[in-house]
Coordinates of all heavy atoms in Angstrom, one line a residue:
A1 N -7.9 3.8 8.4 CA -9.3 3.4 8.6 C -9.5 2.1 7.9 O -10.3 1.2 8.4 CB -10.2 4.5 8.0
N2 N -8.9 1.9 6.7 CA -9.2 0.7 6.0 C -8.5 -0.5 6.6 O -8.9 -1.6 6.6 CB -8.8 0.7 4.5 CG -7.3 1.0 4.3 OD1 -6.6 1.3 5.2 ND2 -6.9 0.9 3.1
Y3 N -7.4 -0.2 7.4 CA -6.7 -1.3 8.1 C -7.6 -1.9 9.2 O -7.8 -3.1 9.3 CB -5.3 -0.8 8.7 CG -4.6 -1.8 9.4 CD1 -3.7 -2.6 8.8 CD2 -4.8 -2.0 10.8 CE1 -2.9 -3.6 9.4 CE2 -4.1 -3.0 11.5 CZ -3.1 -3.7 10.8 OH -2.4 -4.7 11.5
I4 N -8.1 -0.9 10.0 CA -9.0 -1.4 11.0 C -10.3 -2.0 10.6 O -10.7 -3.0 11.1 CB -9.3 -0.2 12.0 CG1 -8.0 0.3 12.7 CG2 -10.4 -0.5 13.0 CD1 -8.1 1.6 13.4
C5 N -10.9 -1.5 9.5 CA -12.0 -2.1 8.9 C -11.8 -3.5 8.4 O -12.5 -4.4 8.7 CB -12.6 -1.2 7.8 SG -14.1 -1.8 7.0
A6 N -10.6 -3.7 7.7 CA -10.3 -5.0 7.2 C -10.0 -6.0 8.4 O -10.4 -7.2 8.3 CB -9.1 -4.9 6.3
Y7 N -9.3 -5.5 9.4 CA -9.0 -6.3 10.5 C -10.3 -6.8 11.2 O -10.5 -8.0 11.5 CB -8.1 -5.6 11.5 CG -7.8 -6.4 12.7 CD1 -6.9 -7.5 12.6 CD2 -8.4 -6.2 14.0 CE1 -6.6 -8.3 13.7 CE2 -8.2 -7.0 15.0 CZ -7.3 -8.0 15.0 OH -7.0 -8.8 16.1
E8 N -11.1 -5.9 11.5 CA -12.4 -6.2 12.2 C -13.3 -7.1 11.4 O -13.9 -8.1 11.9 CB -13.2 -4.9 12.6 CG -12.5 -4.2 13.7 CD -12.5 -4.9 15.0 OE1 -13.4 -5.6 15.3 OE2 -11.5 -4.8 15.7
T9 N -13.3 -6.9 10.1 CA -14.2 -7.8 9.2 C -13.6 -9.2 9.2 O -14.3 -10.1 9.3 CB -14.2 -7.2 7.8 OG1 -14.8 -5.9 7.9 CG2 -15.1 -8.0 6.9
S10 N -12.3 -9.2 9.1 CA -11.6 -10.6 9.0 C -11.7 -11.3 10.4 O -12.0 -12.5 10.4 CB -10.1 -10.4 8.7 OG -10.0 -9.8 7.5
R11 N -11.6 -10.5 11.4 CA -11.7 -11.1 12.8 C -13.1 -11.6 13.0 O -13.3 -12.7 13.5 CB -11.4 -10.0 13.8 CG -11.2 -10.5 15.2 CD -10.8 -9.4 16.2 NE -11.9 -8.4 16.3 CZ -12.9 -8.5 17.1 NH1 -13.2 -9.6 17.8 NH2 -13.8 -7.6 17.1
R12 N -14.1 -10.9 12.6 CA -15.5 -11.4 12.8 C -15.8 -12.6 12.0 O -16.5 -13.6 12.4 CB -16.5 -10.3 12.4 CG -16.5 -9.2 13.5 CD -17.6 -8.2 13.2 NE -17.5 -7.1 14.2 CZ -17.5 -5.8 13.8 NH1 -17.7 -5.5 12.6 NH2 -17.4 -4.9 14.7
F13 N -15.2 -12.7 10.8 CA -15.4 -13.8 9.9 C -14.7 -15.0 10.4 O -15.2 -16.1 10.3 CB -14.9 -13.4 8.5 CG -15.0 -14.5 7.4 CD1 -16.2 -14.8 6.9 CD2 -13.9 -15.3 7.1 CE1 -16.4 -15.8 5.9 CE2 -14.1 -16.3 6.2 CZ -15.3 -16.6 5.6
L14 N -13.5 -14.8 11.0 CA -12.7 -16.0 11.4 C -13.1 -16.4 12.8 O -12.7 -17.5 13.2 CB -11.3 -15.7 11.4 CG -10.7 -15.4 10.0 CD1 -9.3 -14.8 10.1 CD2 -10.7 -16.7 9.2
A15 N -13.8 -15.6 13.6 CA -14.1 -16.0 15.0 C -15.2 -17.0 15.1 O -16.2 -17.0 14.4 CB -14.6 -14.7 15.8
S16 N -14.9 -18.1 15.8 CA -15.8 -19.1 16.1 C -16.3 -19.0 17.5 O -15.5 -19.0 18.5 CB -15.3 -20.5 15.8 OG -14.1 -20.7 16.6
D17 N -17.5 -19.0 17.8 CA -18.1 -18.8 19.1 C -17.6 -17.5 19.8 O -17.4 -17.5 21.0 CB -17.7 -20.1 20.0 CG -18.3 -21.3 19.4 OD1 -19.4 -21.2 18.7 OD2 -17.7 -22.3 19.6
G18 N -17.3 -16.5 19.1 CA -16.9 -15.3 19.6 C -15.4 -15.2 20.1 O -14.9 -14.2 20.5
K19 N -14.7 -16.4 19.9 CA -13.3 -16.5 20.2 C -12.4 -16.5 19.1 O -12.8 -17.1 18.1 CB -13.0 -17.7 21.1 CG -13.7 -17.6 22.4 CD -13.1 -18.6 23.4 CE -13.6 -18.3 24.8 NZ -12.8 -18.8 25.8
L20 N -11.2 -15.9 19.1 CA -10.3 -15.9 18.0 C -9.0 -16.6 18.4 O -8.4 -16.2 19.4 CB -10.0 -14.4 17.6 CG -9.5 -14.1 16.2 CD1 -10.5 -14.6 15.2 CD2 -9.2 -12.6 16.1
S21 N -8.6 -17.6 17.7 CA -7.4 -18.3 18.0 C -6.2 -17.4 17.6 O -6.3 -16.5 16.8 CB -7.4 -19.6 17.2 OG -7.2 -19.4 15.8
P22 N -5.0 -17.8 18.2 CA -3.8 -17.0 17.8 C -3.6 -17.0 16.3 O -3.2 -16.0 15.6 CB -2.7 -17.7 18.6 CG -3.4 -18.2 19.8 CD -4.8 -18.7 19.2
A23 N -3.8 -18.2 15.6 CA -3.6 -18.3 14.2 C -4.6 -17.4 13.4 O -4.2 -16.8 12.5 CB -3.7 -19.7 13.8
A24 N -5.8 -17.4 13.9 CA -6.8 -16.6 13.2 C -6.5 -15.1 13.4 O -6.7 -14.3 12.5 CB -8.2 -16.9 13.8
T25 N -6.0 -14.7 14.5 CA -5.5 -13.3 14.8 C -4.5 -12.9 13.8 O -4.5 -11.8 13.2 CB -5.0 -13.2 16.2 OG1 -6.1 -13.5 17.1 CG2 -4.7 -11.7 16.5
M26 N -3.5 -13.9 13.6 CA -2.4 -13.6 12.6 C -3.0 -13.4 11.2 O -2.6 -12.6 10.5 CB -1.4 -14.7 12.7 CG -0.6 -14.7 14.0 SD 0.5 -16.1 14.1 CE 1.5 -16.0 12.6
V27 N -3.9 -14.3 10.8 CA -4.6 -14.2 9.5 C -5.3 -12.9 9.4 O -5.2 -12.2 8.3 CB -5.4 -15.4 9.3 CG1 -6.3 -15.3 8.0 CG2 -4.6 -16.7 9.1
A28 N -6.1 -12.5 10.4 CA -6.8 -11.3 10.3 C -5.9 -10.1 10.1 O -6.1 -9.1 9.4 CB -7.6 -11.1 11.6
G29 N -4.7 -10.1 10.9 CA -3.7 -9.0 10.8 C -3.1 -9.0 9.4 O -2.9 -7.9 8.8
G30 N -2.9 -10.1 8.8 CA -2.3 -10.2 7.4 C -3.3 -9.7 6.4 O -2.9 -9.0 5.5
C31 N -4.6 -10.0 6.6 CA -5.6 -9.5 5.7 C -5.7 -8.0 5.8 O -5.8 -7.3 4.8 CB -6.9 -10.1 6.0 SG -7.1 -11.8 5.6
A32 N -5.6 -7.5 7.0 CA -5.7 -6.0 7.2 C -4.4 -5.3 6.6 O -4.6 -4.3 5.9 CB -5.7 -5.7 8.7
G33 N -3.2 -5.9 6.8 CA -2.1 -5.4 6.1 C -2.2 -5.4 4.6 O -1.7 -4.4 4.0
T34 N -2.7 -6.4 4.1 CA -2.8 -6.5 2.6 C -3.8 -5.5 2.1 O -3.5 -4.8 1.1 CB -3.3 -8.0 2.2 OG1 -2.3 -8.9 2.7 CG2 -3.5 -8.1 0.8
A35 N -4.9 -5.3 2.8 CA -5.9 -4.3 2.4 C -5.3 -2.9 2.5 O -5.5 -2.1 1.6 CB -7.1 -4.4 3.3
Y36 N -4.5 -2.6 3.5 CA -3.8 -1.3 3.7 C -2.9 -1.1 2.5 O -3.0 0.0 1.8 CB -3.1 -1.3 5.0 CG -2.2 0.0 5.0 CD1 -2.8 1.2 5.5 CD2 -0.8 -0.1 4.7 CE1 -2.0 2.3 5.5 CE2 -0.1 1.0 4.8 CZ -0.6 2.2 5.2 OH 0.1 3.4 5.2
W37 N -2.0 -2.0 2.2 CA -1.1 -1.8 1.1 C -1.7 -1.7 -0.3 O -1.3 -0.9 -1.2 CB 0.0 -2.8 1.1 CG 1.0 -2.4 2.2 CD1 1.3 -3.1 3.3 CD2 1.9 -1.3 2.2 NE1 2.2 -2.4 4.0 CE2 2.6 -1.3 3.4 CE3 2.1 -0.2 1.4 CZ2 3.5 -0.3 3.7 CZ3 3.0 0.8 1.7 CH2 3.7 0.7 2.8
L38 N -2.8 -2.5 -0.5 CA -3.5 -2.4 -1.8 C -4.1 -1.0 -2.1 O -4.1 -0.5 -3.2 CB -4.6 -3.5 -1.9 CG -4.2 -4.9 -2.1 CD1 -5.3 -5.9 -2.0 CD2 -3.5 -5.0 -3.5
S39 N -4.6 -0.4 -1.0 CA -5.2 0.9 -1.2 C -4.2 2.1 -1.1 O -4.5 3.1 -1.7 CB -6.3 1.1 -0.1 OG -5.7 1.1 1.2
N40 N -3.1 1.9 -0.5 CA -2.1 3.0 -0.3 C -0.8 2.9 -1.1 O -0.1 3.9 -1.1 CB -1.8 3.1 1.2 CG -3.0 3.6 2.0 OD1 -3.6 4.6 1.6 ND2 -3.3 2.9 3.0
Y41 N -0.6 1.8 -1.7 CA 0.7 1.6 -2.4 C 0.9 2.7 -3.5 O 2.1 3.2 -3.6 CB 0.8 0.2 -3.0 CG 2.2 -0.1 -3.4 CD1 3.1 -0.5 -2.4 CD2 2.6 -0.1 -4.7 CE1 4.4 -0.8 -2.7 CE2 3.9 -0.4 -5.0 CZ 4.8 -0.8 -4.0 OH 6.1 -1.0 -4.3
P42 N 0.0 3.0 -4.4 CA 0.2 4.0 -5.4 C 0.7 5.3 -4.8 O 1.6 6.0 -5.3 CB -1.1 4.2 -6.1 CG -1.8 2.9 -5.9 CD -1.4 2.5 -4.5
F43 N 0.1 5.7 -3.7 CA 0.6 7.0 -3.0 C 2.0 6.9 -2.4 O 2.8 7.8 -2.4 CB -0.4 7.4 -1.9 CG -1.8 7.6 -2.4 CD1 -2.8 6.7 -2.1 CD2 -2.0 8.7 -3.1 CE1 -4.0 6.9 -2.6 CE2 -3.3 9.0 -3.6 CZ -4.3 8.1 -3.4
D44 N 2.4 5.6 -2.0 CA 3.7 5.4 -1.5 C 4.7 5.4 -2.6 O 5.8 6.0 -2.4 CB 3.7 4.0 -0.8 CG 4.9 3.8 0.1 OD1 5.1 4.7 1.0 OD2 5.7 2.9 -0.1
V45 N 4.4 5.0 -3.8 CA 5.2 5.1 -4.9 C 5.5 6.5 -5.3 O 6.7 6.9 -5.5 CB 4.6 4.3 -6.2 CG1 5.4 4.7 -7.5 CG2 4.5 2.8 -5.9
I46 N 4.5 7.3 -5.3 CA 4.7 8.7 -5.6 C 5.6 9.4 -4.5 O 6.5 10.2 -4.8 CB 3.3 9.5 -5.7 CG1 2.5 9.0 -6.9 CG2 3.5 11.0 -5.7 CD1 1.1 9.5 -6.9
K47 N 5.3 9.1 -3.3 CA 6.1 9.7 -2.2 C 7.5 9.3 -2.3 O 8.4 10.2 -2.2 CB 5.6 9.2 -0.8 CG 6.4 9.7 0.4 CD 6.1 8.9 1.6 CE 6.6 7.4 1.5 NZ 7.6 6.9 2.2
N48 N 7.8 8.0 -2.6 CA 9.2 7.6 -2.7 C 9.9 8.2 -3.9 O 11.1 8.6 -3.8 CB 9.3 6.1 -2.9 CG 8.9 5.4 -1.5 OD1 9.1 5.9 -0.5 ND2 8.4 4.2 -1.7
K49 N 9.2 8.4 -5.0 CA 9.8 9.0 -6.2 C 10.1 10.5 -5.9 O 11.1 11.0 -6.3 CB 8.8 8.8 -7.4 CG 9.4 9.3 -8.7 CD 8.9 8.3 -9.8 CE 9.6 8.8 -11.0 NZ 10.4 7.7 -11.6
M50 N 9.2 11.2 -5.2 CA 9.4 12.5 -4.9 C 10.6 12.7 -3.9 O 11.4 13.6 -4.1 CB 8.1 13.2 -4.3 CG 7.1 13.4 -5.3 SD 5.6 14.1 -4.5 CE 6.2 15.9 -4.4
Q51 N 10.7 11.8 -2.9 CA 11.8 11.8 -2.0 C 13.2 11.5 -2.7 O 14.2 12.2 -2.4 CB 11.7 10.8 -0.9 CG 10.6 11.2 0.1 CD 10.4 10.2 1.2 OE1 10.6 9.0 1.0 NE2 9.9 10.6 2.3
A52 N 13.2 10.6 -3.6 CA 14.4 10.2 -4.4 C 14.8 11.4 -5.3 O 16.0 11.5 -5.5 CB 14.2 8.9 -5.2
A53 N 13.9 12.2 -5.8 CA 14.2 13.3 -6.7 C 14.5 14.6 -5.9 O 14.8 15.6 -6.6 CB 13.1 13.5 -7.7
A54 N 14.4 14.6 -4.6 CA 14.5 15.9 -3.9 C 15.8 16.6 -4.0 O 15.8 17.8 -4.1 CB 14.2 15.5 -2.4
N55 N 16.9 15.8 -4.1 CA 18.2 16.5 -4.2 C 18.8 16.3 -5.6 O 20.0 16.3 -5.8 CB 19.2 15.9 -3.2 CG 18.7 16.2 -1.8 OD1 18.2 17.2 -1.5 ND2 19.0 15.2 -0.9
T56 N 18.0 16.3 -6.6 CA 18.4 16.1 -8.0 C 17.8 17.3 -8.8 O 16.9 18.0 -8.3 CB 17.9 14.9 -8.6 OG1 16.5 14.8 -8.7 CG2 18.4 13.6 -7.8
P57 N 18.4 17.6 -10.0 CA 17.8 18.6 -10.8 C 16.3 18.4 -11.1 O 15.6 19.4 -11.4 CB 18.7 18.6 -12.0 CG 19.9 17.9 -11.7 CD 19.6 17.0 -10.6
R58 N 15.9 17.1 -11.2 CA 14.5 16.8 -11.5 C 13.7 16.8 -10.2 O 13.6 15.8 -9.6 CB 14.4 15.5 -12.3 CG 13.0 15.0 -12.6 CD 12.3 16.1 -13.5 NE 11.0 15.6 -13.7 CZ 9.9 16.4 -13.6 NH1 10.1 17.6 -13.2 NH2 8.7 16.0 -13.8
R59 N 13.1 17.9 -9.9 CA 12.2 17.9 -8.7 C 10.8 18.0 -9.1 O 10.5 18.6 -10.2 CB 12.6 19.1 -7.8 CG 13.9 19.0 -7.1 CD 14.0 20.1 -6.1 NE 15.0 19.8 -5.2 CZ 15.4 20.6 -4.2 NH1 14.8 21.8 -4.0 NH2 16.3 20.3 -3.3
Y60 N 9.9 17.5 -8.3 CA 8.5 17.5 -8.6 C 7.9 18.6 -7.7 O 8.2 18.7 -6.5 CB 7.8 16.2 -8.4 CG 8.3 15.1 -9.2 CD1 9.2 14.1 -8.7 CD2 8.0 15.0 -10.5 CE1 9.8 13.1 -9.5 CE2 8.5 13.9 -11.3 CZ 9.4 13.0 -10.8 OH 9.8 12.0 -11.6
S61 N 7.0 19.4 -8.3 CA 6.5 20.5 -7.5 C 5.3 20.0 -6.6 O 5.0 20.6 -5.6 CB 6.0 21.6 -8.5 OG 5.0 21.1 -9.3
N62 N 4.6 18.9 -7.0 CA 3.5 18.4 -6.2 C 3.3 16.9 -6.6 O 3.9 16.4 -7.5 CB 2.3 19.2 -6.4 CG 1.8 19.3 -7.8 OD1 1.8 18.3 -8.5 ND2 1.5 20.5 -8.2
M63 N 2.4 16.3 -5.8 CA 2.1 14.8 -6.1 C 1.5 14.6 -7.4 O 1.7 13.5 -8.0 CB 1.2 14.3 -5.0 CG 1.9 14.1 -3.6 SD 0.7 13.5 -2.3 CE 0.3 11.9 -3.0
I64 N 0.6 15.5 -7.9 CA -0.1 15.3 -9.1 C 0.9 15.3 -10.3 O 0.9 14.4 -11.2 CB -1.2 16.3 -9.3 CG1 -2.3 16.1 -8.2 CG2 -1.7 16.3 -10.7 CD1 -3.3 17.2 -8.2
E65 N 1.9 16.2 -10.3 CA 2.9 16.3 -11.3 C 3.7 15.0 -11.3 O 4.0 14.4 -12.4 CB 3.8 17.4 -11.1 CG 4.9 17.5 -12.1 CD 5.9 18.6 -11.8 OE1 5.7 19.4 -10.9 OE2 7.0 18.5 -12.4
C66 N 4.1 14.5 -10.1 CA 4.8 13.2 -10.0 C 4.0 12.1 -10.6 O 4.5 11.2 -11.3 CB 5.3 13.0 -8.6 SG 6.3 11.6 -8.4
G67 N 2.7 12.0 -10.1 CA 1.8 10.9 -10.6 C 1.7 10.9 -12.1 O 1.7 9.9 -12.7
K68 N 1.6 12.1 -12.7 CA 1.4 12.2 -14.2 C 2.7 11.7 -14.9 O 2.6 11.0 -15.9 CB 1.1 13.6 -14.6 CG -0.3 14.1 -14.3 CD -0.5 15.5 -14.7 CE -1.9 16.0 -14.5 NZ -2.1 17.4 -14.9
E69 N 3.8 12.0 -14.3 CA 5.1 11.6 -14.9 C 5.2 10.0 -14.8 O 5.7 9.4 -15.8 CB 6.3 12.3 -14.1 CG 7.6 11.8 -14.7 CD 8.0 12.4 -16.0 OE1 7.2 13.2 -16.5 OE2 8.9 11.9 -16.6
I70 N 4.8 9.5 -13.6 CA 4.9 8.0 -13.5 C 4.0 7.4 -14.5 O 4.3 6.4 -15.2 CB 4.5 7.6 -12.1 CG1 5.5 8.0 -11.1 CG2 4.3 6.0 -12.0 CD1 5.1 7.9 -9.6
Y71 N 2.8 7.9 -14.7 CA 1.8 7.4 -15.7 C 2.3 7.6 -17.1 O 2.2 6.6 -17.9 CB 0.5 8.0 -15.5 CG -0.6 7.5 -16.4 CD1 -1.1 6.2 -16.2 CD2 -1.0 8.2 -17.6 CE1 -2.1 5.7 -17.1 CE2 -1.9 7.6 -18.4 CZ -2.4 6.4 -18.2 OH -3.3 5.9 -19.1
R72 N 2.9 8.7 -17.4 CA 3.4 8.9 -18.8 C 4.6 8.0 -19.1 O 4.6 7.4 -20.3 CB 3.9 10.3 -18.9 CG 4.4 10.8 -20.3 CD 5.0 12.2 -20.3 NE 6.3 12.2 -19.7 CZ 7.4 11.7 -20.2 NH1 7.4 11.1 -21.3 NH2 8.5 11.8 -19.5
V73 N 5.4 7.7 -18.2 CA 6.6 6.8 -18.5 C 6.2 5.3 -18.4 O 6.6 4.6 -19.3 CB 7.7 7.1 -17.5 CG1 8.9 6.1 -17.6 CG2 8.2 8.5 -17.7
D74 N 5.5 4.9 -17.4 CA 5.2 3.5 -17.2 C 3.8 3.1 -17.3 O 3.5 1.9 -17.1 CB 5.8 3.1 -15.8 CG 7.3 3.2 -15.7 OD1 8.0 2.9 -16.7 OD2 7.8 3.7 -14.6
G75 N 2.9 4.0 -17.4 CA 1.4 3.6 -17.4 C 1.0 3.2 -16.0 O 1.7 3.5 -15.0
W76 N -0.1 2.5 -15.9 CA -0.6 2.1 -14.6 C 0.3 1.1 -13.8 O 0.3 1.1 -12.6 CB -2.0 1.5 -14.7 CG -3.0 2.4 -15.1 CD1 -3.7 2.5 -16.3 CD2 -3.5 3.5 -14.3 NE1 -4.6 3.6 -16.3 CE2 -4.5 4.2 -15.1 CE3 -3.3 4.0 -13.0 CZ2 -5.2 5.3 -14.6 CZ3 -4.0 5.1 -12.6 CH2 -4.9 5.8 -13.4
K77 N 1.1 0.4 -14.6 CA 2.1 -0.5 -14.0 C 3.1 0.2 -13.1 O 3.6 -0.4 -12.2 CB 2.8 -1.3 -15.1 CG 2.0 -2.5 -15.7 CD 2.8 -3.2 -16.7 CE 3.4 -4.4 -16.0 NZ 4.1 -5.3 -17.0
G78 N 3.4 1.5 -13.4 CA 4.3 2.2 -12.7 C 3.9 2.4 -11.2 O 4.7 2.6 -10.3
F79 N 2.6 2.4 -11.0 CA 2.1 2.6 -9.6 C 2.1 1.3 -8.8 O 1.8 1.3 -7.6 CB 0.7 3.2 -9.7 CG 0.6 4.6 -10.2 CD1 0.2 4.8 -11.5 CD2 1.0 5.7 -9.4 CE1 0.1 6.1 -12.0 CE2 1.0 6.9 -10.0 CZ 0.6 7.1 -11.3
T80 N 2.3 0.2 -9.4 CA 2.3 -1.1 -8.8 C 3.6 -1.9 -8.7 O 3.7 -2.9 -8.3 CB 1.2 -2.0 -9.3 OG1 1.5 -2.3 -10.7 CG2 -0.2 -1.4 -9.2
R81 N 4.6 -1.2 -9.3 CA 6.0 -1.8 -9.3 C 6.4 -2.1 -7.9 O 6.5 -1.2 -7.1 CB 7.0 -1.0 -10.0 CG 8.4 -1.6 -10.2 CD 9.2 -0.9 -11.1 NE 8.6 -1.1 -12.5 CZ 8.8 -0.2 -13.4 NH1 9.4 0.9 -13.2 NH2 8.2 -0.5 -14.6
G82 N 6.7 -3.4 -7.6 CA 7.1 -3.7 -6.2 C 6.0 -4.1 -5.3 O 6.3 -4.5 -4.1
L83 N 4.8 -4.1 -5.8 CA 3.6 -4.3 -4.9 C 3.6 -5.8 -4.4 O 3.3 -6.1 -3.3 CB 2.3 -4.0 -5.6 CG 1.0 -4.3 -4.8 CD1 1.0 -3.5 -3.6 CD2 -0.2 -4.1 -5.7
S84 N 4.0 -6.7 -5.3 CA 3.9 -8.2 -4.9 C 4.9 -8.4 -3.7 O 4.5 -9.2 -2.8 CB 4.3 -9.1 -6.1 OG 5.6 -8.7 -6.6
V85 N 6.1 -7.9 -3.7 CA 7.0 -8.1 -2.6 C 6.4 -7.4 -1.3 O 6.5 -8.0 -0.2 CB 8.4 -7.5 -2.9 CG1 9.3 -7.6 -1.7 CG2 8.9 -8.2 -4.1
C86 N 5.8 -6.3 -1.5 CA 5.2 -5.6 -0.3 C 4.1 -6.4 0.2 O 4.0 -6.5 1.5 CB 4.7 -4.2 -0.8 SG 4.0 -3.3 0.5
L87 N 3.3 -7.0 -0.6 CA 2.2 -7.9 -0.1 C 2.7 -9.1 0.6 O 2.1 -9.6 1.6 CB 1.2 -8.2 -1.2 CG 0.4 -7.0 -1.8 CD1 -0.5 -7.4 -3.0 CD2 -0.4 -6.3 -0.8
L88 N 3.7 -9.7 0.1 CA 4.3 -10.9 0.7 C 4.8 -10.5 2.1 O 4.7 -11.3 3.0 CB 5.4 -11.4 -0.1 CG 5.0 -12.2 -1.4 CD1 6.2 -12.6 -2.2 CD2 4.2 -13.4 -1.0
R89 N 5.4 -9.3 2.2 CA 5.9 -8.9 3.5 C 4.7 -8.5 4.5 O 4.9 -8.6 5.7 CB 6.8 -7.6 3.3 CG 7.4 -7.1 4.6 CD 7.9 -5.8 4.3 NE 6.8 -4.8 4.1 CZ 7.0 -3.6 3.6 NH1 8.2 -3.2 3.3 NH2 5.9 -2.8 3.3
A90 N 3.6 -8.1 3.9 CA 2.5 -7.5 4.8 C 1.9 -8.7 5.6 O 1.4 -8.5 6.7 CB 1.4 -6.9 3.9
L91 N 1.8 -9.9 5.0 CA 1.2 -11.0 5.7 C 1.9 -11.3 7.0 O 1.3 -11.3 8.1 CB 1.2 -12.2 4.8 CG -0.1 -13.0 4.9 CD1 -1.4 -12.2 4.5 CD2 0.0 -14.2 4.0
P92 N 3.2 -11.6 7.1 CA 3.8 -11.9 8.4 C 4.0 -10.7 9.2 O 4.1 -10.7 10.4 CB 5.1 -12.6 8.0 CG 5.4 -12.1 6.6 CD 4.1 -11.8 5.9
A93 N 4.2 -9.5 8.6 CA 4.5 -8.3 9.4 C 3.3 -7.7 10.1 O 3.5 -7.0 11.2 CB 5.0 -7.2 8.4
N94 N 2.1 -8.1 9.7 CA 1.0 -7.5 10.4 C 0.1 -8.5 11.1 O -0.8 -8.3 11.7 CB 0.0 -6.8 9.3 CG 0.7 -5.6 8.7 OD1 0.8 -4.6 9.4 ND2 1.1 -5.6 7.5

């Protein structure tokens, strides 16, 4: 939902005379991708950590337990590790 909202908002902001150039369409898509990853990245970190631990002795019983462990070990920074690379990829990919 946030992807579509960000795309439509960006598209309306960038449209001149109701028309959107190809470059503006790319920018609107990049803005939408960035908004998506900013809001969902912490959940993706938890998902990846749970998947990586699935076949190890250290398994997480749920997302909350995994999130608490990430926070205990790394603090809030643990939820954003790798976000900058993800955002750089989001612009051309979306």
Side-chain angles (χ1 to χ4, degrees):
N2 64 346
Y3 181 90
I4 293 170
C5 181
Y7 178 76
E8 287 298 321
T9 302
S10 299
R11 191 176 64 80
R12 287 183 188 137
F13 180 76
L14 296 169
S16 60
D17 300 331
K19 294 197 168 202
L20 201 62
S21 70
T25 302
M26 290 173 56
V27 171
C31 290
T34 300
Y36 171 81
W37 281 112
L38 282 172
S39 63
N40 291 309
Y41 196 77
F43 299 107
D44 196 56
V45 169
I46 292 171
K47 176 198 64 117
N48 290 333
K49 190 140 180 119
M50 289 181 75
Q51 286 177 334
N55 295 324
T56 65
R58 174 64 183 130
R59 287 187 165 182
Y60 299 102
S61 60
N62 57 47
M63 289 180 62
I64 294 172
E65 178 189 345
C66 183
K68 285 180 180 179
E69 178 72 11
I70 293 169
Y71 182 75
R72 186 186 67 74
V73 173
D74 296 322
W76 290 112
K77 284 180 94 174
F79 294 102
T80 60
R81 184 166 291 151
L83 178 62
S84 59
V85 175
C86 183
L87 293 178
L88 286 172
R89 181 195 67 194
L91 220 60
N94 292 291

